[in-house]
Each structure stands twice: as C-alpha cells, then as structure tokens.
Amino acid sequence: MTGPLRDVSYRSRASVPAVGIVLLLFVSIGLAASVGAVALDHAQMSSDGARAVLSLTVSDDTLRFVHRGGETLDVRRLDLRVSVDGAPLAEQPALPFFSEWGFRPGPTGPFNSAADARWSAGETASFAVADTNDPDLTAGSSVTVDIRYDGRPLATLSVVVR
C-alpha cells in the first residue's frame, strides 16, 4: 500500500460518520415536527368539544346514565338518539323534559326540567320509555345511545337490556 491510497481510505472513512450525523439530524427534526403537528392537532380538537366519561345501564324500560368524570355538561346542549336492536325509537327525548310523548313522566337528575341543567361527575340521570314508543325494550335487546354535545359527537353507549 502506498501513501496516496491510504489517504483516500482515511478520507472516505471520515466522511461516513459526518453523513450519518447529518442523516440522524434530519430524521430527528422530521420526527419532532410530526409529533408537534399531531400534538397541536389533538389540542385543537379537544378544545372544540366537551369531554366526559358516561356510562349506561338499561333495566326494563329505564335508561340510567352516570356521569363518571370529565367536564360538567349542560343537558340543554345534549342531543340523545336511542336505538333498540338497530332501529331508532319513534320518539326521541328532548332534554331536559318532565312529560314528553313516548316517555313516562318524571325523568330523574338533570334530565328533569325542574332540576339544575348542569350534569356533573358523580350524578345519575334517567328516563323511562313508555309503552307507546316503538320498538319495545325487551330483555336481551340491544340499546345504543348516540350522544352529541353542541352538535358534536360526545359518546356512543351500547348495552343489553336486563
């Protein structure tokens, strides 16, 4: 081996770490930009709509909702759509109410028009579907409730009637 060949060999080896560092830097910057964009997009989405954890149980003809956590909700801004085995109820509840066609009078909690319309974590609200509403809630049927808040999806809850 002569001197010039040895010099070329060392020069090409010295450039490999430099190229690797530049590539690593570009990948890191790209990854940071992607994570930042997703984080900003998520922060923007969460500030647009309400966030709450809700649960549903159905026993006989009564739908019972529990606000498990998250933001306090104004029930006047809620829109519920109830389906039984995939078919929507003929009459849907307009919240809050006391007596409404298709439902038994006297819903409980913030669903009752005489109560405070704010629904906070830990509170339960319920209403009973009247026999005049179709389809019937029978043991074993599947009930799905789509809940919207200010027109935006908040939750979809599904249970089987006990």
Side-chain angles (χ1 to χ4, degrees):
M1 287 205 200
T2 62
L5 289 178
R6 196 180 278 166
D7 289 341
V8 172
S9 171
Y10 285 124
R11 286 185 197 153
S12 63
R13 280 195 221 165
S15 66
V16 171
V19 170
I21 290 172
V22 170
L23 286 175
L24 186 59
L25 184 62
F26 281 129
V27 169
S28 298
I29 290 171
L31 184 60
S34 297
V35 169
V38 169
L40 287 175
D41 185 46
H42 180 67
Q44 199 172 29
M45 285 179 8
S46 65
S47 67
D48 289 345
R51 296 190 139 212
V53 178
L54 306 174
S55 67
L56 168 67
T57 56
V58 180
S59 182
D60 297 322
D61 59 0
T62 302
L63 284 77
R64 184 168 289 106
F65 300 82
V66 178
H67 188 311
R68 302 250 176 232
E71 295 178 27
T72 297
L73 303 172
D74 182 343
V75 296
R76 296 170 294 196
R77 296 164 63 185
L78 286 176
D79 182 37
L80 302 182
R81 293 289 166 237
V82 181
S83 298
V84 179
D85 291 328
L89 286 178
E91 302 294 330
Q92 297 289 337
L95 300 177
F97 71 95
F98 181 77
S99 183
E100 188 170 306
W101 184 257
F103 300 91
R104 293 202 336 239
T108 65
F111 288 179
N112 190 309
S113 58
D116 182 3
R118 291 177 299 188
W119 191 15
S120 302
E123 288 185 296
T124 300
S126 68
F127 59 83
V129 179
D131 292 336
T132 58
N133 209 339
D134 285 316
D136 291 332
L137 285 102
T138 57
S141 58
S142 175
V143 175
T144 301
V145 181
D146 287 315
I147 305 171
R148 297 179 77 76
Y149 193 75
D150 282 338
R152 294 187 179 101
L154 177 65
T156 299
L157 308 171
S158 294
V159 295
V160 174
V161 178
R162 293 185 280 154

